[in-house]
Amino acid sequence: MNSLARERLNQHYCLNKRDCLELVYNAGIPLMIGVVSLWIAINQQKLDKSNHAQDIQLSNAERTQDRVIARLQRDEDRETARLQREEDKTMTRLQREEDQRTARLQREEDREAARLQRLEDKETVRLQRELDLKITIDKRIQDYELAELQRNMSEQQRAQELEIAHQNRINDLLLEDGRQKENVLLEYQDDLATLLLEYGSLFKDPKSKWWFILQMKTAAALRQLDPQRRTVLVNTLFDAGILDLERDRSQSLLYRTNLSGVEFGY
Ligand SMILES: *[C@@H]1O[C@H](CO)[C@@H](O)[C@H](O)[C@H]1NC(C)=O
Ligand SMILES: *[C@@H]1O[C@H](CO)[C@@H](O)[C@H](O)[C@H]1NC(C)=O
């Protein structure tokens, strides 16, 4: 370039000085500017290149550093994740153990509750059974007492009926007895009247068969009669004047007769 300029300068050297100066002045400055610009551009280029290399180097270094950091970061992350996982695992295990323990306790509690419930149920059933039994027994006792009462009542009724029947029978017997005695008395009085009427003085002879018959009949009647009718009989004999007759003891009309209960003097 310098040579080119010098050549131009030599070409122009033939011009006058002023022209030359003017030329130099006119062409030199731009030239210089151009040279300077070129230099600057070259330098700039160099600088750019250098910068570029430096940038690349820097970026390489940065990338390397980033990679290292990233690796370290990744390692750290991995470690953190591992620790996290282990922690999680431990937590899970503890949680499971806790759950298992809780479940076991719950189961034991449930079992205990069920056992208590069963005991309570059994007790309830037992009480119910006792109550039922007591009710049944009470009912049976009540039934038994009622039956016994009815039996007693029917027994009492039967006893009463028996008593009444017995009483009736006794009354009948007494009536019958009374009737019989009455008949005996009436028959005796009839016989006595017949003897008195038909055999008047004859039968009063102690040795006559009529006297003997009267003696026999009197003894038989007195034996059969009751005190009241005996009294009537004896009074009849008095009234008929038969007891006034003088007789030996053995021939007396009342000899060896039953005079129990007779009231004399009527
Ligand atoms: C039934 O009678 C018997 C005696 O005859 C007596 O001991 C019993 O208490 C009576 N029962 C009732 C329910 O009256
Ligand atoms: C006499 O009659 C009475 C009843 O009136 C009787 O109790 C008594 O046993 C009789 N006596 C004799 C010796 O039969």
Side-chain angles (χ1 to χ4, degrees), residues 144-146 148-153 155-156:
Y144 179 78
E145 279 176 358
L146 201 68
E148 194 176 317
L149 194 66
Q150 279 173 352
R151 213 164 47 229
N152 275 5
M153 272 170 64
E155 262 171 22
Q156 270 177 18

Side-chain angles (χ1 to χ4, degrees), residues 77-105:
D77 285 356
R78 262 211 293 270
E79 183 63 13
T80 306
R82 197 181 59 77
L83 286 175
Q84 185 70 45
R85 226 161 42 226
E86 270 177 16
E87 202 175 318
D88 285 357
K89 256 199 294 227
T90 307
M91 280 287 289
T92 305
R93 193 172 53 75
L94 287 175
Q95 186 67 45
R96 216 165 52 223
E97 278 174 13
E98 174 79 26
D99 285 356
Q100 274 169 359
R101 205 163 45 237
T102 306
R104 207 182 54 236
L105 286 175

Side-chain angles (χ1 to χ4, degrees), residues 225-227 230 258 260:
L225 293 179
D226 53 353
R230 271 183 202 139
N258 191 344
S260 163

Side-chain angles (χ1 to χ4, degrees), residues 163-177:
E163 177 64 20
I164 288 169
H166 183 63
Q167 204 61 52
N168 283 344
R169 175 102 185 100
I170 286 174
N171 283 346
D172 286 353
L173 285 176
L174 282 176
L175 268 174
E176 181 63 25
D177 191 49

